[in-house]
């Protein structure tokens, strides 16, 4: 079996960690049980470009039990857990192409290896597999049934493709499901980003000025957790609505040019390019810690930082020290500017990925069931599916909701009853 991973002997450790994660993924487990009986993906080749983590392993096992042939590569050069890659190859016989720390060339070679399997459904986190298929391997398009997309940045890219009429098969925006972004982006990124910063630096957040760039779903989560650890949170935004929300949530709001002068920690979560630039690095305090948790490593202008620096060195794992020519200040960049929660920590906790990947598994089934009937665009997870995942999650957590009485149903459907 073709594969490219770091070390097959890590499989034992990988299997134990996958087992541990699976204990917190009850909704995916229910889907796995049904898939094992019904085999809804029988004989379908699935190409996955996802962060290779313990949670992704549970998804792979679910899809495989459902009858699919699964091929997996990484959706980021620095997010692979090598022991998980080994376990999937050795135990599950899943071809995995992913090595933590691979360079860009190898990253795209690995994507090509998955494409060589001629996937009929693609599953992306950031749209690199789909976009490589469209641009470099268009001869494969005719056999693709559809795809799914995990993250905000991927959905934005795909919508741009659809707008340009460049998208050649339908894609479900898993990110846009309520049971995905409300929880994964907010609580998952919130906890795991702080986890990544703390594991990389072992610095105290309490009493620090903690700058969060972007107050979307991820930014809200990170701001809340940083405040919970005692940081004085400062939010930077370009959208007045989000800025207002941050202000009323109790945070300071100011432009990056101002925040740069006082911040101790900086995290970007915008999905945008060059949010922190040389003009910002130059005015930072010596010792400032800067990282990104948005999808791509473009949010920090690192080539720009290198140009205004005269010395750089790795001072500890995932921490690079840049010394500025102008003033000798030291700026610390974490995880090469790649998403810090997956580079220096283990990504979102399993309990939250349970819902994200329940959406992915059901979305793949939906794409197949509706083969040839879906429009050539990016469309949402069906609302019924989204609500069912929420119901199952709540049930698994041991909580119940109230039910509408007959009188309430009637009242909510009426217009004539006032005061
Ligand atoms: P979102 O659209 O909800 O929020 C992004 C926010 O950034 C918006 O409010 C926008 O106004 C703001 N913004 C844009 N440009 C800005 C700038 N120059 N300065 C300040 N603010 C700016 O998106 P989201 O769901 O929060 O996702 C953000 C990024 O995180 C995306 O790249 C997404 O793919 C990624 N993501 C990462 C993880 C992870 O595990 N680290 C998880 C989910 C999403
Ligand atoms: N994205 C963020 N956290 C993740 C995780 N634990 N597994 C897969 N993808 C992720």
């Amino acid at each position: 079996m073709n594969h490219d991973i770091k070390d097959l002997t890590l499989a034992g450790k990988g299997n134990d960690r996958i087992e541990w994660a699976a204990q917190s993924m009850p909704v995916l487990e229910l889907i796995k049980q049904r898939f094992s009986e019904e085999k809804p993906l029988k004989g379908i080749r699935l190409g996955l470009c996802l962060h290779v983590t313990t949670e992704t392993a549970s998804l792979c096992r679910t899809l495989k039990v459902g009858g699919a042939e699964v091929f997996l590569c990484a959706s980021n050069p620095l997010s692979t857990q090598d022991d998980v890659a080994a376990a999937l190859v050795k135990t599950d016989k899943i071809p995995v192409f992913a090595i933590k720390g691979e360079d860009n060339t190898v990253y795209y070679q690995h994507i090509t290896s998955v494409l060589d399997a001629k996937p009929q459904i693609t599953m992306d986190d950031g749209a690199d597999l789909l976009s490589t298929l469209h641009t470099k391997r268009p001869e494969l398009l005719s056999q693709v049934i559809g795809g799914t997309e995990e993250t905000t940045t991927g959905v934005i890219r795909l919508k741009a493709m659809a707008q340009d009429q460049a998208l050649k098969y339908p894609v479900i925006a898993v990110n846009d499901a309520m049971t995905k972004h409300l929880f994964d982006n907010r609580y998952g990124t919130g906890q795991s980003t702080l986890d990544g910063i703390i594991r990389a630096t072992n610095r105290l957040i309490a009493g620090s000025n903690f700058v969060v760039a972007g107050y979307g779903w991820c930014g809200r989560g990170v701001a809340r957790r940083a405040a919970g650890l005692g940081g004085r949170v400062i939010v930077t935004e370009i959208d007045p609505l989000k800025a207002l929300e941050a202000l009323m949530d109790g945070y300071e709001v100011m432009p990056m040019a101002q925040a740069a002068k006082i911040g101790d920690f900086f995290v970007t979560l915008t999905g945008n390019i060059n949010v922190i630039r040389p003009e910002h690095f130059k005015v930072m305090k010596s010792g400032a810690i800067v990282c990104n948790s948005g999808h791509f490593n473009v949010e920090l202008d690192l080539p720009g930082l290198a140009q205004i620096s005269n010395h750089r060195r790795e001072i500890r794992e995932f921490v690079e020290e840049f010394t500025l020519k102008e003033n000798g200040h030291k700026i610390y960049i974490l995880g090469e500017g790649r998403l810090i929660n997956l580079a220096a920590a283990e990504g979102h906790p399993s309990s939250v990925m349970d819902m994200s990947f329940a959406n992915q598994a059901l979305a793949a089934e939906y794409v197949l069931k509706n083969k040839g009937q879906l429009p050539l665009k990016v469309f949402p997870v069906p609302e019924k599916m989204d609500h069912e995942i929420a119901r199952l999650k709540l049930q698994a957590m041991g909580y119940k909701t109230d039910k509408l009485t007959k009188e309430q149903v009637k009242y909510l459907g009426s217009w004539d009853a006032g005061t």
Side-chain angles (χ1 to χ4, degrees), residues 41-48 63-64 67-71 94-95 117 120:
L41 303 172
K42 191 156 188 263
I44 295 296
R45 291 184 304 279
L46 259 163
L48 275 55
L63 300 170
K64 188 156 183 191
E69 265 187 84
V70 177
F71 302 84
I94 290 176
Q120 293 158 290

Side-chain angles (χ1 to χ4, degrees), residues 51 125 150-154 156 175 180-181 184-185 188-189 192-193 212-220 236-239 242 256 268-275 277 292-296 299 339-342 347-348:
H51 301 298
D125 186 330
E150 171 79 4
T151 197
T152 316
T153 285
I156 291 170
N175 179 72
K180 201 280 182 182
H181 66 268
D184 170 313
N185 300 30
T189 314
S192 60
T193 298
V212 178
Y215 201 64
W217 290 107
C218 295
R220 287 183 188 105
T236 72
E237 253 295 344
I238 44 106
D239 178 343
K242 302 278 175 60
M256 183 57 80
T268 52
L269 306 111
T270 70
N272 209 342
I273 192 166
N274 293 339
V275 175
R277 303 180 289 274
N292 166 53
S293 207
H295 186 76
F296 284 120
E299 304 210 13
L339 7 78
I340 191 61
N341 62 331
L342 283 140
H348 302 347

Side-chain angles (χ1 to χ4, degrees), residues 257 260-262 278-285 324 327 329:
K261 294 179 189 160
I262 53 177
E279 76 239 40
H280 302 127
F281 290 121
K282 279 182 184 172
V283 297
M284 283 180 187
K285 296 195 263 188
L324 302 195
N327 52 17
H329 283 187

Side-chain angles (χ1 to χ4, degrees), residues 210-402:
F210 195 102
V211 181
V212 178
Y215 201 64
W217 290 107
C218 295
R220 287 183 188 105
V222 170
R224 190 157 161 193
R225 294 296 170 247
L229 285 167
R232 275 188 301 276
V233 172
I234 298 165
V235 169
T236 72
E237 253 295 344
I238 44 106
D239 178 343
L241 264 177
K242 302 278 175 60
L244 200 55
E245 187 186 348
L247 202 62
M248 295 206 183
D249 282 345
Y251 307 123
E252 281 286 329
V253 174
M254 60 184 76
M256 183 57 80
Q258 212 175 321
K261 294 179 189 160
I262 53 177
D264 299 298
F265 293 91
F266 295 82
V267 191
T268 52
L269 306 111
T270 70
N272 209 342
I273 192 166
N274 293 339
V275 175
I276 303 188
R277 303 180 289 274
E279 76 239 40
H280 302 127
F281 290 121
K282 279 182 184 172
V283 297
M284 283 180 187
K285 296 195 263 188
S286 191
I289 291 170
V290 185
C291 67
N292 166 53
S293 207
H295 186 76
F296 284 120
N297 61 334
V298 297
E299 304 210 13
L300 313 176
D301 181 359
L302 295 184
L305 175 61
Q307 271 181 12
I308 59 167
S309 304
N310 56 13
H311 185 66
R312 59 193 281 189
R313 63 170 175 145
E314 187 182 80
I315 187 162
R316 55 185 264 151
E317 202 183 5
F318 304 119
V319 185
E320 193 172 10
E321 179 188 82
F322 287 77
T323 306
L324 302 195
K325 287 179 199 162
E326 202 169 281
N327 52 17
H329 283 187
K330 315 266 192 216
I331 307 292
Y332 295 102
I333 301 292
L334 308 186
E336 300 169 19
R338 299 197 185 273
L339 7 78
I340 191 61
N341 62 331
L342 283 140
E346 294 167 72
H348 302 347
S350 328
S351 169
V352 89
M353 293 311 294
D354 188 25
M355 286 187 282
S356 310
F357 285 166
N359 274 292
Q360 284 286 11
L362 296 183
E365 183 185 31
Y366 182 85
V367 163
L368 186 57
K369 263 194 187 149
N370 293 281
K371 182 178 174 181
Q373 288 163 40
L374 299 172
L376 259 193
K377 59 176 195 175
V378 184
F379 58 95
V381 164
E383 203 175 311
K384 211 171 140 201
M385 213 163 94
D386 205 355
H387 278 89
E388 180 59 6
I389 291 171
R391 194 188 66 76
L392 290 173
K393 186 69 179 174
L394 204 60
Q395 185 180 306
M397 293 169 80
Y399 292 93
K400 289 187 176 143
T401 60
D402 278 322

